Amino acid sequence: MGKEVIIPNISVDCVIFGFDFEKLNVLLVERELIDSKTGAVIIKDHTLTGYHIFEDEVLDSAASRILKDLTGLENIYLEQFYTFSDIDRVAGAKDKIWLDYMNKGFADRIITVGYFSLIDSTKVELTVHNRNASWFPIDEIPGMELAFDHKHIFDKALEALRNKVKVDPIMFELLPERFTLTQLQKLLEAVFDTPLEKRNFRKKVGQMPYVVALKEKQVGVPHKPAQLYLFSREVYEKTKKERIGLMF
Amino acid sequence: MGKEVIIPNISVDCVIFGFDFEKLNVLLVERELIDSKTGAVIIKDHTLTGYHIFEDEVLDSAASRILKDLTGLENIYLEQFYTFSDIDRVAGAKDKIWLDYMNKGFADRIITVGYFSLIDSTKVELTVHNRNASWFPIDEIPGMELAFDHKHIFDKALEALRNKVKVDPIMFELLPERFTLTQLQKLLEAVFDTPLEKRNFRKKVGQMPYVVALKEKQVGVPHKPAQLYLFSREVYEKTKKERIGLMF
DNA sequence: CCCAAAGGTATCTTTTATACACTAAGTGGA
DNA sequence: TCCACTTAGTGTATAAAAGATACCTTTGGG
């Protein structure tokens, strides 16, 4: 470890998605700056989590580190999705004030590499690690004020997530290890913002050998308890066929 | 323009695909270094095309610039696909010698943003712009020696291309404006390295309103001349439906 | 006139999409 | 103890799309 020297013109920003069995959420951190004399609020908005990379650090590690700092979690699903290089992406009026105030030797021109990550939100205790971070439903983001070009980054992340979900079984990263089919369905409905037909959905899932039924059922629910399932990556790898689905 | 100051630790690398109606090719540039005293060959291999970005330049522009420098072409399809940050990606023995020899003030640690681009190879006259660039069939790449981590970058580019082709009508970028269905079929076969059934293929294409038949036919071929077609982006945009195809 | 590739028609099978309504099993309160 | 409530869980029918196979015609060059 030793001294960690940052690379001043390259950063990583993480768009952290979580699912609360109802809707899809993103983790944002509050950014607040108060004038020390007048007490006036100069800045009060939200940002994604990001930081510069260190000289001896690879982008993937930087993203993991950022995620761990914020949530305490390790070995989380992370996917690089785009690199943003607009000249003035950190040059908004508020953003300049903020960077001056931080005064950490960041460059004027910063290129940032976007990662999205999926976490089972039942596993994270935000209050323990960072008082200013909280979950926001993805459909509230368009109406919010975000720092820098973070709204743009969020949009790209959501698009990348949707594309990826269609093609890889990553949605299980957003669920607890043992989940019900209804939870899985709700998750997909939240990701694509569209209703799905229950019976057809279950028929489809029934054809996925890697979604395996456990012997356990839900307990303590005030209605018929649901069967619990498990995602087996092992079975998935063994059974996936190379489908050249073409095309648009 | 004025003086163009490079950012020493950020570059762009382009994986340029071209189609010759037979197979899919990549454009590589020969890298050669000869010892000025002994005449011994120190380095002789191939590289992708890349360069650093300028201080006032966005990644997309850098990629366009590189492509224009190499091929003379502008307004070419370009797609950013991944950013590479391995610590030692430019630190191979030969690569160090090469960078020393170039002596352009590049950093030891360079992060590079990968773009792939698709060009109609009937439009490019390599000899005019760069004597050292030539096309290589993609299935020869695994057996070749490439500079830096360019083989890795190529692999990722091909994967990204295949994914993108399944979802967007970008393959038309690899064909002349007027093309035959057999050419289109051969192209897809080359991209996915798999044979396609002619009649089913044509049935499918027949359902794409944006692939429009012209009144013209091929001339000068020693067999029945094929109908020529055109890709209409306009029609494509109007008729594409939001399909939530889900899933793996 | 023969060859080679283009282009079309017709049939059959398999796969996939979609629509739809009732019973089962728990909890909790009256 | 029974009833109300809530969510789980299931099967069938139909239509459309995709895929394989066979076979036949057209066109132009040599």
Side-chain angles (χ1 to χ4, degrees):
Chain A
M1 291 288 172
K3 62 175 183 212
E4 287 161 327
V5 185
I6 65 165
I7 297 181
N9 63 342
I10 302 175
S11 68
V12 161
D13 279 298
C14 294
V15 181
I16 304 168
F17 291 103
F19 180 60
D20 60 8
F21 303 126
E22 276 294 322
K23 25 185 184 38
L24 190 63
N25 303 292
V26 203
L27 198 52
L28 297 179
V29 177
E30 191 176 69
R31 178 172 80 158
E32 190 175 45
L33 180 60
I34 311 251
D35 189 299
S36 53
K37 290 168 196 152
T38 67
V41 176
I42 302 173
I43 300 174
K44 188 179 172 77
D45 54 15
H46 293 85
T47 77
L48 297 170
T49 355
Y51 199 69
H52 287 260
I53 67 170
F54 296 127
E55 275 186 355
D56 58 352
E57 190 182 45
V58 150
L59 290 168
D60 285 8
S61 314
S64 301
R65 172 173 54 79
I66 289 164
L67 202 52
K68 189 183 173 193
D69 284 354
L70 187 71
T71 64
L73 299 176
E74 288 183 90
N75 299 318
I76 290 299
Y77 179 84
L78 267 165
E79 173 104 5
Q80 186 197 303
F81 66 93
Y82 200 74
T83 297
F84 300 87
S85 65
D86 275 5
I87 306 271
D88 51 1
R89 52 173 296 278
V90 296
K94 283 187 182 174
D95 301 323
K96 269 183 170 161
I97 295 171
W98 179 257
L99 290 176
D100 272 359
Y101 162 72
M102 301 277 284
N103 189 30
K104 293 229 180 127
F106 301 153
D108 290 338
R109 169 95 192 271
I110 302 174
I111 282 178
T112 200
V113 181
Y115 279 75
F116 69 81
S117 92
L118 308 180
I119 78 184
D120 164 5
S121 41
T122 64
K123 277 216 186 106
V124 65
E125 284 283 348
L126 290 180
T127 46
V128 178
H129 298 91
N130 191 314
R131 261 175 318 147
N132 292 323
S134 42
W135 293 109
F136 293 84
I138 57 166
D139 53 11
E140 283 182 17
I141 305 298
M144 289 177 67
E145 209 175 322
L146 297 197
F148 307 114
D149 58 346
H150 287 186
K151 201 178 281 192
H152 179 213
I153 295 178
F154 166 79
D155 289 342
K156 276 272 196 179
L158 184 57
E159 189 189 325
L161 170 65
R162 286 176 171 155
N163 287 335
K164 189 75 179 170
V165 164
K166 286 181 191 168
V167 121
D168 269 295
I170 58 169
M171 72 262 263
F172 301 103
E173 305 287 339
L174 286 159
L175 291 170
E177 205 171 0
R178 292 145 68 252
F179 55 86
T180 71
L181 294 188
T182 303
Q183 287 167 352
L184 181 58
Q185 182 181 340
K186 280 239 168 73
L187 170 54
L188 282 164
E189 289 176 336
V191 169
F192 290 107
D193 190 28
T194 189
L196 297 172
E197 210 283 314
K198 186 163 72 158
R199 283 190 284 213
N200 295 330
F201 176 77
R202 294 170 103 96
K203 199 195 299 174
K204 216 168 207 168
V205 175
Q207 292 165 310
M208 302 175 182
Y210 43 88
V211 178
V212 307
L214 298 172
K215 281 167 194 155
E216 308 159 64
K217 293 182 173 236
Q218 276 184 319
V219 286
V221 286
H223 53 72
K224 177 171 174 179
Q227 177 78 246
L228 291 171
Y229 290 80
L230 192 71
F231 168 65
S232 162
R233 176 157 298 277
E234 202 186 343
V235 176
Y236 173 72
E237 295 296 344
K238 275 183 193 154
T239 59
K240 75 172 167 190
K241 34 198 165 193
E242 286 313 327
R243 320 212 285 94
I244 317 182
L246 354 172
M247 47 199 131
F248 22 102
Chain B
M1 289 292 170
K3 63 174 181 219
E4 287 161 327
V5 185
I6 65 165
I7 298 182
N9 63 341
I10 301 174
S11 69
V12 162
D13 279 298
C14 294
V15 181
I16 305 169
F17 291 104
F19 180 60
D20 61 10
F21 302 126
E22 276 295 321
K23 28 189 182 32
L24 191 62
N25 303 291
V26 203
L27 198 53
L28 297 180
V29 177
E30 191 176 68
R31 178 174 81 157
E32 190 173 44
L33 180 58
I34 311 249
D35 188 301
S36 52
K37 290 168 199 157
T38 69
V41 175
I42 302 172
I43 299 174
K44 189 178 171 78
D45 55 14
H46 293 87
T47 77
L48 298 171
T49 355
Y51 200 71
H52 287 260
I53 67 170
F54 295 126
E55 274 186 354
D56 57 352
E57 187 181 48
V58 150
L59 290 168
D60 285 8
S61 316
S64 302
R65 172 173 54 80
I66 289 164
L67 201 53
K68 188 181 172 196
D69 284 352
L70 187 70
T71 65
L73 299 175
E74 290 183 271
N75 298 318
I76 292 298
Y77 178 84
L78 268 165
E79 173 102 6
Q80 187 197 303
F81 66 92
Y82 199 74
T83 297
F84 300 87
S85 65
D86 276 4
I87 305 270
D88 51 3
R89 52 173 297 277
V90 296
K94 284 186 181 176
D95 301 324
K96 267 182 172 163
I97 296 172
W98 180 258
L99 291 176
D100 271 359
Y101 164 71
M102 301 278 282
N103 189 28
K104 294 229 181 128
F106 301 153
D108 290 338
R109 169 96 192 272
I110 302 172
I111 282 177
T112 200
V113 182
Y115 279 77
F116 69 82
S117 91
L118 307 180
I119 78 184
D120 165 4
S121 40
T122 64
K123 277 213 188 111
V124 66
E125 284 283 347
L126 290 180
T127 47
V128 178
H129 297 91
N130 190 314
R131 262 177 316 146
N132 293 322
S134 42
W135 293 108
F136 293 85
I138 57 166
D139 52 11
E140 284 181 18
I141 305 299
M144 288 178 66
E145 209 175 324
L146 296 197
F148 307 113
D149 58 345
H150 287 186
K151 201 177 283 191
H152 180 213
I153 295 178
F154 166 79
D155 289 341
K156 276 274 197 179
L158 184 57
E159 189 190 323
L161 170 65
R162 287 178 171 155
N163 287 336
K164 189 74 179 171
V165 164
K166 286 181 191 166
V167 120
D168 268 295
I170 58 169
M171 72 265 259
F172 301 103
E173 306 287 340
L174 285 159
L175 292 170
E177 205 171 0
R178 292 145 68 250
F179 55 86
T180 71
L181 295 189
T182 303
Q183 287 167 352
L184 181 58
Q185 183 181 338
K186 280 239 168 70
L187 169 55
L188 283 164
E189 290 175 334
V191 168
F192 290 108
D193 190 28
T194 191
L196 296 173
E197 213 284 312
K198 184 165 77 159
R199 280 168 292 222
N200 293 329
F201 177 76
R202 295 173 101 95
K203 203 196 294 176
K204 213 168 209 169
V205 175
Q207 292 164 295
M208 301 176 182
Y210 44 88
V211 177
V212 307
L214 299 173
K215 281 166 195 156
E216 308 159 62
K217 292 179 174 238
Q218 273 182 320
V219 286
V221 286
H223 52 70
K224 175 170 175 181
Q227 176 79 246
L228 290 171
Y229 291 81
L230 193 71
F231 168 65
S232 163
R233 177 158 299 277
E234 200 186 345
V235 176
Y236 173 73
E237 296 297 344
K238 275 184 194 152
T239 59
K240 75 174 167 189
K241 31 196 167 191
E242 284 313 326
R243 321 211 285 96
I244 318 183
L246 352 173
M247 46 197 132
F248 25 100

